Amino acid sequence: MEFSGGVRQRAVRGAPAVLTVAGLGVCLRDGDATRWIFRDMGFAAQGGEVVAVCGPSGSGKSTLLNLLGGLGSPDEGSICVAVEAGGKRVALRVHELSEAERVRYRRENVGFIFQFFNLLPTLTVEENVLLPRRLNGLGGGSEEALQRLEPLGLESLGERFPDSLSGGEQQRVAIARALSHAPPLVLADEPTGNLDAANADRVVECLWDQVRNSGAALVIATHNERIAEQADRVVALR
């Protein structure tokens, strides 16, 4: 299956790209047989933009997010993410990183949001939110990170544990956690797939607001047509 230019773009801003994908391809091999999951994929995302990745099950949505997050290497093509290094903005060539370098890249430069929340049950809401900062050894900025709880409607829940929260509340905690260390790239894999319609709408609204205000680029894999309609760009897999 080849990716055949299925990108819809709503608007292009003047800001430089946070994420640039070019000629990306992944294939499966079984003996002499080769099947491309996708091939010749290319798109970009600027800070504050939302890219929706759509397609049927098995089309490669999660595979693409894994590659962007450094959880594997493509068979061809490139992935570049603009990161801060030594006080300068540099293009990190994710596809060329070693395994150890990919671990550091994920920890420092990517925020992950999953369908099933993946909050640590033994940590409070505040401790879950601050976990990426602590893993990165970031001393300052914790207060600013916790301030995200207020616009997410979670300001009174900081001392509670995840199992006492609703699904929508847990996903909003996951949004705050994903952005707490100010990553340039946020990846969300079906973040509303485990929620009812009302909670899904609120989570999407909160996620959009938080990403746009932070200046991060968001790539979201989804089956939800309403999410795709609100995105700045749509990458359609077949």
Side-chain angles (χ1 to χ4, degrees), residues 29-172:
R29 296 178 176 86
D30 184 7
D32 294 332
T34 298
R35 180 177 73 85
W36 287 92
I37 300 176
F38 51 75
R39 196 176 191 185
D40 197 26
M41 176 187 293
F43 65 92
Q46 298 165 354
E49 283 195 315
V50 177
V51 177
V53 181
C54 303
S57 297
S59 61
K61 297 188 299 298
S62 294
T63 298
L64 174 58
L65 261 63
N66 287 341
L67 294 177
L68 300 181
L71 291 169
S73 298
D75 291 290
E76 59 185 26
S78 63
I79 301 168
C80 294
V81 176
V83 303
E84 295 294 328
K88 297 181 180 180
R89 184 182 174 96
V90 300
L92 188 65
R93 297 173 66 82
V94 177
H95 57 287
E96 295 180 351
L97 299 180
S98 67
E99 179 56 38
E101 290 169 333
R102 289 203 303 267
V103 170
R104 182 176 179 181
Y105 159 72
R106 290 194 296 271
R107 190 181 65 211
E108 296 181 353
N109 297 296
V110 185
F112 290 96
I113 304 171
F114 305 96
Q115 179 176 344
F116 295 103
F117 322 133
N118 284 16
L119 302 177
L120 294 181
T122 58
L123 299 184
T124 66
V125 166
E126 288 189 356
E127 290 168 338
N128 267 287
V129 170
L130 294 177
L131 183 60
R133 300 190 62 82
R134 291 174 177 167
L135 291 175
N136 284 303
L138 299 175
S142 294
E143 183 176 345
E144 181 180 350
L146 292 176
Q147 287 175 353
R148 294 188 185 278
L149 294 176
E150 183 175 354
L152 290 168
L154 302 168
E155 64 275 15
S156 65
L157 305 180
E159 299 303 316
R160 289 173 59 176
F161 291 90
D163 62 1
S164 70
L165 306 180
S166 69
E169 289 169 337
Q170 290 189 62
Q171 195 61 295
R172 281 180 272 142

